[in-house]
Amino acid sequence: MKIIIDAFGGDNAPEEIIAGGIAAINEEKGFTAVFAGKEDVIKEHLKNYEYDSSRVEILPAEEVITCEEEPTSAFRKKPGSSIALGLKALKEDEDTAAFVSAGSTGAVLVGATLKLGRISGVNRPALCPVLPTATEKNVLLLDSGANADCKSINLYQFAVMGSAFAEAMGVKNPVVALLSNGTEDEKGNALTHEVFPMLKEAAGINFAGNCEARDILSGKYDVVVTDGFSGNVALKGIEGTVGLLFSALKGEIYSSFRGKMGGLLLKPAFKNLKTKLDYNNRGGALFLGVNKIVIKAHGSSKRTAIKSAVLQAVSYAKEDLIGRVKAKLSENAREAK
């Protein structure tokens, strides 16, 4: 099994990307890391690490798509880019299971849709990160940014795909909620009012009703469904709040001798909490709804986050995630409106 890694995608490429990929193969057996990008640069960086050379390959790609470029135009104008060639290889090579990139989100999503195609029964793929909760459970939030405007059929399909994703992660009968501005059935906008009865009537979805943003990380739900605009706002809000809390807490601890003593006693607990909440340990967001596994890592990802994203891809491939999603969609087919 091969995992293609976009070596020139992200703010810290290529050094941190290559380091993360090497860390992944040194930790997990059973796959080959294929670095896509400028061959001479990749080879030079690889000299800095110890690894099994039989498990590392290079996919030469001389062009790079930047985040400043218009995604669709850039993808078409740069067929020799690491994103374009990486996705092309993913489509054409049966041994290649996934593509991981911290590069331009728009280019990755556009390229994945054009090159790989949508799964039958999916009108629009969705970005789906795995988030920690107040319990030991995780929660899937989709869409978190791929589709700013959605129709009810899109959210219905997100719920079906999210349920299949959660099941592949070992969750039995995953609980699905619809993001709204209140938990009452009548709350929401025109879109949530339209999709609510569809989810309630779906035999293959364990629908729990509406969910407020403050409850996304409560542990009550396994899947939270929304449009990409609301999902991205919620996700960024969560990231900002977590960052603020840690920063404020650190400031309070170091503001007095008593705080420093208390902080010293609580250091193990703070370390565990930070590890749980740190996105670097969770990898990236799965682009759910295309025919192969595509992981979009955060643009600022460093080696730990890239390692996690690659290991994510390996895990999803072993669990036949795409096959599970296809089966679930087939069982819960509904005509687009």
Side-chain angles (χ1 to χ4, degrees), residues 63 74-81 84-85 88:
E63 294 180 300
F75 187 81
R76 294 184 185 281
K77 290 180 179 179
K78 292 184 174 180
S81 67
L85 291 178
K88 182 175 184 290

Side-chain angles (χ1 to χ4, degrees), residues 176-179 183 185 196 206-211 221:
V176 179
L178 179 65
L179 187 63
T183 58
D185 291 4
F196 190 97
N206 182 14
F207 183 52
N210 288 331
C211 159
Y221 313 109

Side-chain angles (χ1 to χ4, degrees), residues 58-212:
I58 297 175
L59 175 62
E62 293 303 313
E63 294 180 300
V64 177
I65 295 176
T66 69
C67 292
E68 288 72 34
E69 298 176 88
E70 196 285 317
T72 303
S73 176
F75 187 81
R76 294 184 185 281
K77 290 180 179 179
K78 292 184 174 180
S81 67
S82 53
I83 292 176
L85 291 178
L87 290 169
K88 182 175 184 290
L90 177 61
K91 177 184 179 179
E92 297 176 352
D93 186 358
E94 292 184 1
D95 292 332
T96 301
F99 176 76
V100 175
S101 177
S104 166
T105 300
V108 172
L109 303 192
V110 167
T113 304
L114 292 176
K115 287 289 185 182
L116 306 175
R118 299 186 301 271
I119 292 174
S120 177
V122 175
N123 297 78
R124 294 186 181 183
L127 271 175
C128 183
V130 181
L131 306 177
T133 72
T135 67
E136 294 302 314
K137 296 169 58 176
N138 293 314
V139 62
L140 306 177
L141 176 64
L142 70 164
D143 182 15
S144 67
N147 308 280
D149 298 300
C150 291
K151 296 181 179 179
S152 57
I153 188 64
N154 304 134
L155 269 62
Y156 175 83
Q157 291 169 357
F158 296 166
V160 175
M161 292 192 294
S163 293
F165 188 177
E167 289 171 357
M169 294 171 65
V171 180
K172 294 182 180 179
N173 198 27
V175 179
V176 179
L178 179 65
L179 187 63
S180 188
N181 63 334
T183 58
E184 299 85 355
D185 291 4
E186 67 273 11
K187 286 296 180 97
N189 56 18
L191 175 61
T192 57
H193 287 163
E194 188 174 343
V195 74
F196 190 97
M198 296 168 63
L199 296 175
K200 194 171 183 178
E201 296 164 7
I205 299 173
N206 182 14
F207 183 52
N210 288 331
C211 159
E212 292 184 305

